[in-house]
Amino acid sequence: MRIDPVLTTEEINYFMKEALVEARKAEAIGEVPIGAVIVQGGQIIARGYNHREIDQKATAHAELLAIEAANAVLGSFRLENTTLFVTLEPCVMCAGAIVNARIPQVYYGADDPKGGAVRSLHQLLEDSRLNHRVDVHTGLMAQESGRLLQQFFQAIRLRQQARKIAQRKK
Amino acid sequence: MRIDPVLTTEEINYFMKEALVEARKAEAIGEVPIGAVIVQGGQIIARGYNHREIDQKATAHAELLAIEAANAVLGSFRLENTTLFVTLEPCVMCAGAIVNARIPQVYYGADDPKGGAVRSLHQLLEDSRLNHRVDVHTGLMAQESGRLLQQFFQAIRLRQQARKIAQRKK
């Protein structure tokens, strides 16, 4: 299957690095570090990073925010000829938003064994009964994406342990 | 399983009628007529109706808009002790948003055999691997919800036929 646009390996790596830049923006504000960019015609047209805690908004995932930004940029709910790059495997909600926005191609980094809806728990982007199918590429810069998440959760655990020790000393 | 809050039959019917009021707001602006309300403590705390075409926004489904409004009202991404009423079976995206928002109870009207992700195509709200489960009640005022949708699509087909006849006469 030929997907429009066809991206070079260099472009693919560049755009995933930009998704990682977005993930680090989430990390910097204490959010689970997940980032996304949407590309059309070789250009990034929209970006997003996880905002759930700060906004206290269940829908503020990187992919959903990037999709909404791209809808606004293109003035269309249909994101034809676009590619979504995201550092973590999308959840059910974001997989559904990818289908609703008719995104034809997705690259993601690390698998999410607990909530991934593209390969791990469900294969929602390959469901022939839905009115849209997506060309999915997995594992791109998975180590870097995964490391960001591991470090984030490790830091949380360390802070929790430090708090417990401090409380015991009181 | 006891779900908090427990609603009376009278309340359940009242809130689904309010979801239908929202669906008719969508119909009035030419959108596919789907509406939703979210209830907590016996009160409607948020409402939403389909806005996809007017906003050209892939995520502007009734449920998602109601969830975001409820997040803002409660100042929390967790919609604990709430019930969502929606006139049509949620799609994949909205089912995922219901899980992400930890909504414990959902009532919906008509089944959606083409895109329903709660009973028809997938059973995403019953997946024990996700970190949240939902008590689902189906078929409430399904005829009325379905009739609204049928009339909407019938009107579109009639307009298309009238346009074709008018073009032939030119």
Side-chain angles (χ1 to χ4, degrees):
Chain A
M1 181 168 55
R2 185 187 175 275
I3 291 288
D4 201 22
V6 178
L7 298 167
T8 65
T9 308
E10 199 183 350
E11 283 176 319
I12 289 165
N13 289 333
Y14 172 76
F15 292 130
M16 189 51 110
K17 274 185 191 159
E18 289 297 308
L20 279 160
V21 167
E22 293 301 307
R24 283 194 200 94
K25 289 182 191 170
E27 187 188 31
I29 56 166
E31 296 275 356
V32 178
I34 304 163
V37 299
I38 295 176
V39 171
Q40 191 185 57
Q43 302 288 326
I44 293 173
I45 60 163
R47 296 169 171 270
Y49 57 93
N50 180 28
H51 255 243
R52 188 186 68 168
E53 299 295 329
I54 281 192
D55 292 351
Q56 283 298 311
K57 196 172 169 186
T59 58
H61 286 197
E63 304 93 306
L64 212 90
L65 296 171
I67 288 169
E68 290 180 346
N71 286 151
V73 166
L74 298 181
S76 172
F77 81 80
R78 289 186 181 85
L79 301 181
E80 283 159 5
N81 302 329
T82 63
T83 304
L84 171 77
F85 292 82
V86 57
T87 57
L88 186 70
E89 182 181 359
C91 73
V92 169
M93 175 184 76
C94 292
I98 288 164
V99 171
N100 291 351
R102 316 282 193 268
I103 294 176
Q105 183 165 241
V106 170
Y107 284 84
Y108 77 77
D111 281 326
D112 180 4
K114 286 186 181 170
V118 174
R119 198 164 78 152
S120 297
L121 297 186
H122 314 96
Q123 295 76 42
L124 292 172
L125 299 187
E126 293 166 22
D127 190 333
S128 61
R129 298 167 305 173
L130 295 174
N131 61 355
H132 178 68
R133 244 135 304 143
V134 184
D135 190 34
V136 178
H137 308 265
T138 70
L140 182 64
M141 299 188 193
Q143 274 204 322
E144 207 165 333
S145 297
R147 207 181 304 127
L148 253 180
L149 286 159
Q150 280 160 17
Q151 285 167 353
F152 177 82
F153 289 113
Q154 202 170 22
I156 287 179
R157 281 192 296 271
L158 285 173
R159 278 200 298 275
Q160 284 172 339
Q161 281 171 10
R163 214 173 292 141
K164 274 183 196 164
I165 291 165
Q167 279 173 339
R168 259 182 241 142
K169 282 183 182 168
K170 274 182 189 169
Chain B
M1 182 168 56
R2 185 187 174 277
I3 291 288
D4 201 23
V6 178
L7 298 167
T8 65
T9 309
E10 199 181 350
E11 283 176 319
I12 289 165
N13 288 333
Y14 172 77
F15 292 130
M16 189 51 110
K17 274 186 191 159
E18 288 299 306
L20 279 160
V21 167
E22 293 302 305
R24 283 195 201 94
K25 289 181 189 169
E27 187 188 32
I29 57 168
E31 297 275 356
V32 178
I34 304 163
V37 299
I38 294 177
V39 170
Q40 191 185 57
Q43 302 289 327
I44 293 173
I45 60 164
R47 296 169 171 271
Y49 57 93
N50 180 29
H51 256 241
R52 187 184 71 170
E53 298 295 330
I54 280 191
D55 293 351
Q56 283 298 310
K57 196 172 169 187
T59 58
H61 286 197
E63 304 94 307
L64 212 90
L65 296 171
I67 288 170
E68 291 180 345
N71 286 151
V73 166
L74 299 180
S76 172
F77 80 79
R78 288 185 182 86
L79 301 180
E80 284 159 4
N81 301 329
T82 62
T83 304
L84 171 76
F85 292 83
V86 56
T87 56
L88 186 69
E89 182 181 0
C91 74
V92 169
M93 175 183 77
C94 291
I98 288 164
V99 171
N100 291 350
R102 316 282 192 266
I103 294 176
Q105 184 165 240
V106 170
Y107 285 83
Y108 76 77
D111 282 327
D112 180 4
K114 286 187 182 170
V118 174
R119 198 164 79 154
S120 297
L121 297 187
H122 314 97
Q123 294 77 41
L124 292 172
L125 298 187
E126 292 166 24
D127 189 334
S128 60
R129 298 167 304 172
L130 295 174
N131 62 354
H132 179 68
R133 242 135 305 143
V134 185
D135 190 36
V136 179
H137 308 265
T138 67
L140 182 64
M141 299 187 193
Q143 274 204 323
E144 208 164 334
S145 296
R147 206 181 304 127
L148 253 179
L149 286 159
Q150 279 160 16
Q151 285 168 352
F152 178 82
F153 288 113
Q154 201 171 24
I156 287 179
R157 280 192 297 273
L158 285 173
R159 278 200 298 275
Q160 284 172 338
Q161 282 171 8
R163 214 173 294 141
K164 273 185 196 164
I165 291 166
Q167 279 172 340
R168 258 184 243 144
K169 281 183 181 168
K170 272 181 189 170

